[in-house]
Amino acid sequence: MGVFDTDARPIRRGKAKVTTEFGHKVLIQEVENKIISNYAVYQGNPSDDTLLEDDVDKHEQTLGQTPKEVATDRGFGSKANEQMLKDKGVKRISLPYKSKKSAVRKAHEKQPWFKRLQRWRAGGETTISVLKRKYGLGRSLFRGTSGTKCWVGNSIFAYNLTKLARLSMV
């Protein structure tokens, strides 16, 4: 058995008892109506908290404005990322912290708008699941980083076309 994709890197997710997989990390950005506005394919497994600023910059380039609200999972949560988002003018920032939380932070994360954004972000997990199950995002049939980027782009394009077609029928 040989290695078929020499660009694939070991990726171990932060969850307990997860086996090591080989592949690329994909970052997906959703806007209203679950439309995917941007994506990025990374070789290897860069830390999530280093990717947020570039992600917000891509949003600004694509849509011409800073997002009003940002919701992420714990991997992106850091004081530096929260400050960066405040500096960019984001009004509502829902970044749960990874470490032990102070009483003030716990109260902040219990606010209704914070919880609403976290529920919306959790819905993004369903989008990822749909992309894997219905649109082939679980395994790229193209090889190399450039091939994987093309495969991911095609999967997201097909997903967005289907989503837009359904929205236009309503």
Side-chain angles (χ1 to χ4, degrees):
M1 181 176 181
V3 176
F4 296 104
D5 188 351
T6 56
D7 288 348
R9 298 290 181 260
I11 296 175
R12 187 163 177 90
R13 293 187 223 151
K15 299 172 180 90
K17 298 181 183 177
V18 174
T19 59
T20 301
E21 300 171 346
F22 287 84
H24 298 81
K25 186 176 212 169
V26 177
L27 187 68
I28 294 173
Q29 194 178 103
E30 282 184 320
V31 294
E32 291 83 12
N33 296 316
K34 298 292 187 184
I35 302 296
I36 298 172
S37 62
N38 279 308
Y39 70 94
V41 177
Y42 296 96
Q43 191 172 3
N45 192 19
S47 177
D48 287 344
D49 59 2
T50 63
L51 306 175
L52 187 59
E53 187 166 11
D54 288 341
D55 205 34
V56 173
D57 290 343
K58 284 182 186 176
H59 177 90
E60 291 171 341
Q61 289 172 348
T62 302
L63 300 176
Q65 63 184 14
T66 303
K68 293 177 181 73
E69 300 177 324
V70 172
T72 69
D73 63 13
R74 289 188 197 290
F76 294 89
S78 72
K79 290 179 183 179
N81 277 341
E82 194 164 19
Q83 188 59 51
M84 176 270 301
L85 291 170
K86 285 178 184 175
D87 292 346
K88 287 185 174 283
V90 177
K91 303 286 186 237
R92 299 261 168 119
I93 303 165
S94 183
L95 298 179
Y97 283 178
K98 300 176 221 177
S99 60
K100 191 159 174 86
K101 299 173 192 148
S102 67
V104 172
R105 185 64 194 185
K106 285 180 185 176
H108 175 74
E109 291 187 12
K110 287 187 178 186
Q111 295 180 81
W113 65 265
F114 192 99
K115 287 181 173 183
R116 174 185 58 81
L117 286 173
Q118 282 303 297
R119 284 190 302 272
W120 190 85
R121 188 218 53 85
E125 299 296 332
T126 61
T127 301
I128 293 167
S129 177
V130 167
L131 283 166
K132 285 180 176 181
R133 286 182 294 109
K134 290 188 171 184
Y135 297 94
L137 201 64
R139 169 175 264 169
S140 172
L141 298 181
F142 298 164
R143 300 296 169 224
T145 302
S146 62
T148 300
K149 287 178 180 181
C150 185
W151 185 268
V152 170
N154 288 337
S155 297
I156 290 173
F157 181 68
Y159 169 84
N160 277 344
L161 277 178
T162 305
K163 193 58 110 166
L164 290 168
R166 287 185 181 144
L167 286 171
S168 68
M169 296 171 97
V170 176

